[in-house]
């Protein structure tokens, strides 16, 4: 669902032709914006202003303008599958992370890689609203903060926060509050 509540991205395998569709909630208008994804673990994320949607498809991130339904930036290529994407607050940068255990920050307009940080296998990462720090965790319960502008890890979150021992295994999701002060984690 887009932040403005107007759009949703749907993968429709029953449509002819199959594909990824941008659907306007109020009008019911449905536009095919991309072919069928090459894998089942598909994710799309809208920019904060809802003008652009970034769609992960295997090792590529595609950008689509929600107004026209047309591609709007060059696709970003990864050496392996991209699990998820997240826009910065100003929608000028994109955080990507995936199977190669690396979080990357890109300049969307140019496609330039601004920084990369190897993590543990199957990482989960989120940008803090300040746009400088990335919180990262893995399925083994390890947390750390990465300052992508300095391309270095800062310190483990475990030493900064009071996180109960039961939280240190098999993380599946990580979310950051809009003000960047709180982290919610979920897992087994």
């Amino acid at each position: 669902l887009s932040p403005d509540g107007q759009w949703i991205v749907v993968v429709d395998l029953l449509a002819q032709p199959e594909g990824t569709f941008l659907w306007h909630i109020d009008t019911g208008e449905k536009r095919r914006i991309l072919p069928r994804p090459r894998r089942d673990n598909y994710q799309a994320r809208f920019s904060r202003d809802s003008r652009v949607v970034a769609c992960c498809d295997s090792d590529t991130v595609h950008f689509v303008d929600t107004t026209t339904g047309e591609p709007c930036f060059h696709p970003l290529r990864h050496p392996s599958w991209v699990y998820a994407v997240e826009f910065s607050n100003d929608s000028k940068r994109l955080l990507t992370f995936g199977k190669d255990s690396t979080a990357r920050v890109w300049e969307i307009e140019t496609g330039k890689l601004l920084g990369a940080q190897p993590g543990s296998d199957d990482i989960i990462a989120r940008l803090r609203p300040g746009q400088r720090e990335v919180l990262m965790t893995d399925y083994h319960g390890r947390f750390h903060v990465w300052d992508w502008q300095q391309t270095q890890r800062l310190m483990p979150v475990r030493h900064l926060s009071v996180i109960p021992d039961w939280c240190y295994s098999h993380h599946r999701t990580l979310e950051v509050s809009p003000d960047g002060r709180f982290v919610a984690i979920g897992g087994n």
Side-chain angles (χ1 to χ4, degrees), residues 48 86-95 105-106 114 126-135 146-150 176 178-180:
R48 309 267 189 214
E86 183 173 357
F87 283 91
S88 62
N89 285 348
D90 62 7
S91 299
K92 293 182 179 179
R93 289 175 291 281
L94 190 78
L95 169 69
V105 176
W106 307 81
L114 300 174
R126 290 284 183 256
L127 275 172
R128 270 182 92 182
Q131 303 177 24
R132 177 178 167 170
E133 297 172 335
V134 176
L135 299 178
W146 169 44
D147 180 339
W148 64 265
Q149 290 177 335
Q150 296 181 14
V176 181
D179 64 4

Side-chain angles (χ1 to χ4, degrees), residues 14-30:
L14 300 177
Q16 293 300 320
E18 298 174 330
T20 303
F21 293 84
L22 188 61
W23 196 348
H24 194 275
I25 293 173
D26 290 337
T27 66
E29 175 191 1
K30 187 175 168 184

Side-chain angles (χ1 to χ4, degrees), residues 141-158:
R142 295 176 290 231
F143 280 85
H144 61 272
V145 179
W146 169 44
D147 180 339
W148 64 265
Q149 290 177 335
Q150 296 181 14
T151 63
Q152 65 184 10
R153 287 186 193 205
L154 295 178
M155 60 183 70
V157 175
R158 175 178 244 163

